Amino acid sequence: MAITDWPAAERPRERLLAHGPAALSDAELLAIYLRVGVRGKSAVDLARDLLRHFDGQIGRLAEAPLPELARLPGIGQAKAAQLMASFELARRALQQEMLARDNLASPGRVRDWLRLKLGQRPQEIFMALWLDAQNRLLQADELFTGTLTQTSVYPREVVKAALRHNAAAVILAHNHPSGVAEPSSADEMLTRALKRALDTVDVRLLDHFIVAGQAPPLSFAERGLI
């Protein structure tokens, strides 16, 4: 049955207008975006199929490459491009909110942004959030990109980036595409080496986060590893 044949109170768009977006399921929100289904499937059915393809994880859908999305039944290049654009707008909105804040006093805000940025990346990314003396965000840099299991990080290049941004402090982060957030011995050794290197130019290392999927990022500072 097409959504237009549903009772008005059950249609996703009408429910959103009546109760707000928080009242809708992930599939219903996606259905509003997709607008139409395919032969034999409503937009909600198509949205459910899309979510199942990504194990029900919106984060995985948000990071899916365009060719993978476009190959899915009922999606195609146009809808795939629209989906990618909407997720990118969400990332940019969150980054602008961070930039507009007086400081990064909320660890939860940093975790949310890092999870959105790195949670579903298919390769390891090492990045830095450069801060001024009041802990305001100056710039978020993706410094190094690696493979599925490792990234080469060079302390000298990190120090050069700190000086380039005239940073007073930094929060480091990298992801584990494996989905396991526990730090390896190499992660701990690298963090100590980076702290020593940054100390030489008076840049404080506030934290180092490991992002793994949609779980809360692991904090080195909370673990007592910094």
Side-chain angles (χ1 to χ4, degrees):
M1 183 185 296
I3 288 178
T4 53
D5 296 327
W6 295 9
E10 296 179 12
R11 298 173 194 166
R13 185 178 302 164
E14 283 72 10
R15 290 189 61 227
L16 184 147
L17 292 172
H19 306 292
L24 274 64
S25 67
D26 292 345
E28 289 171 323
L29 290 170
L30 274 174
I32 292 174
Y33 193 84
L34 295 171
R35 294 174 47 208
V36 295
V38 294
R39 183 181 295 275
K41 289 186 179 181
S42 69
V44 173
D45 294 328
L46 185 58
R48 287 171 179 155
D49 287 347
L50 186 58
L51 287 170
R52 272 195 293 270
H53 181 82
F54 294 100
D55 300 323
Q57 298 182 36
I58 289 290
R60 286 191 58 199
L61 171 60
E63 291 297 341
L66 189 144
E68 181 180 358
L69 284 176
R71 285 195 300 268
L72 298 176
I75 303 301
Q77 283 197 337
K79 282 192 175 74
Q82 290 171 344
L83 281 169
M84 292 190 74
S86 67
F87 286 125
E88 181 60 25
L89 282 171
R91 294 186 193 95
R92 294 185 186 187
L94 186 52
Q95 180 159 331
Q96 286 178 2
E97 185 178 347
M98 286 180 63
L99 286 166
R101 291 174 64 86
D102 289 336
N103 56 57
L104 291 176
S106 169
R109 180 67 62 182
V110 178
R111 279 186 162 98
D112 288 344
W113 186 81
L114 289 173
R115 188 168 58 221
L116 184 64
K117 186 74 173 176
L118 299 176
Q120 298 299 327
R121 298 287 283 272
Q123 72 273 35
E124 278 204 9
I125 307 292
F126 186 91
M127 70 182 308
L129 305 181
W130 301 112
L131 312 174
D132 66 11
Q134 286 74 47
N135 286 354
R136 292 177 299 213
L137 182 66
L138 297 170
Q139 182 68 39
D141 274 349
E142 291 188 13
L143 296 174
F144 308 100
T145 300
T147 65
L148 181 65
T149 57
Q150 63 180 357
T151 306
S152 296
V153 178
Y154 303 98
R156 182 180 178 216
E157 296 303 315
V158 175
V159 169
K160 285 168 64 177
L163 295 174
R164 184 168 63 250
H165 292 296
N166 195 29
V170 64
I171 296 172
L172 301 175
H174 75 280
N175 62 317
H176 282 180
S178 66
V180 179
E182 284 299 312
S184 65
S185 57
D187 290 333
E188 295 183 27
M189 290 175 61
L190 173 63
T191 303
R192 290 193 293 268
L194 289 170
K195 185 177 187 305
R196 288 194 299 269
L198 291 163
D199 282 344
T200 64
V201 291
D202 294 323
V203 175
R204 294 173 293 127
L205 175 55
L206 300 182
D207 210 337
H208 183 175
F209 287 98
I210 296 179
V211 182
Q214 293 305 301
L218 179 143
S219 163
F220 277 57
E222 291 177 0
R223 285 283 187 95
L225 298 175
I226 292 180

